[in-house]
Amino acid sequence: GIGKGTMRADHPNVSDQLCAKYAIGQDTRAMSAVVGEDALSEDEHTCLKLSDNFKSKSPTPGAYENRDISTSVDISRTLLRIFPQELLKKIPQKF
């Protein structure tokens, strides 16, 4: 469920940030097909890496996996660690 006591306080921020960076990675992948990976910035390369890592280390549990929300948020945070803190605008410093 959603609400106080059922999820971590940082869950919405981490989830929003992960989705945003993943979407940028997907858009960047499409763009790189046109301009080539050599034309991408360092940040764009990092978003591509996140997109690849997301597919192999998804924070979403599989159909037969019993995982709590805290573990999924921890996985999401691990995926986002490839970015400098200043690029994680959706996650306040307090988290």
Side-chain angles (χ1 to χ4, degrees):
I2 297 176
K4 190 172 184 168
T6 61
M7 62 186 222
R8 282 177 34 173
D10 62 341
H11 177 250
N13 302 92
V14 173
S15 177
D16 288 351
Q17 186 68 76
L18 184 65
C19 288
K21 292 297 187 185
Y22 178 77
I24 292 168
Q26 294 298 93
D27 290 346
T28 300
R29 185 166 315 289
M31 181 179 64
S32 72
V34 176
V35 300
E37 285 199 27
D38 291 342
L40 301 178
S41 70
E42 184 178 333
D43 291 342
E44 290 166 330
H45 278 285
T46 305
C47 287
L48 281 178
K49 184 176 178 181
L50 173 82
S51 183
D52 292 340
N53 289 344
F54 183 88
K55 291 176 186 174
S56 65
K57 301 172 183 145
S58 178
T60 306
Y64 301 104
E65 184 178 4
N66 186 13
R67 185 191 311 157
D68 64 10
I69 192 70
S70 187
T71 302
S72 293
V73 174
D74 288 342
I75 292 169
S76 298
R77 282 189 161 280
T78 298
L79 289 168
L80 290 168
R81 282 193 187 115
I82 62 174
F83 294 97
Q85 182 63 40
E86 60 270 10
L87 294 181
L88 301 176
K89 307 271 187 217
K90 296 182 181 291
I91 303 175
Q93 291 289 338
K94 68 180 179 177
F95 293 125

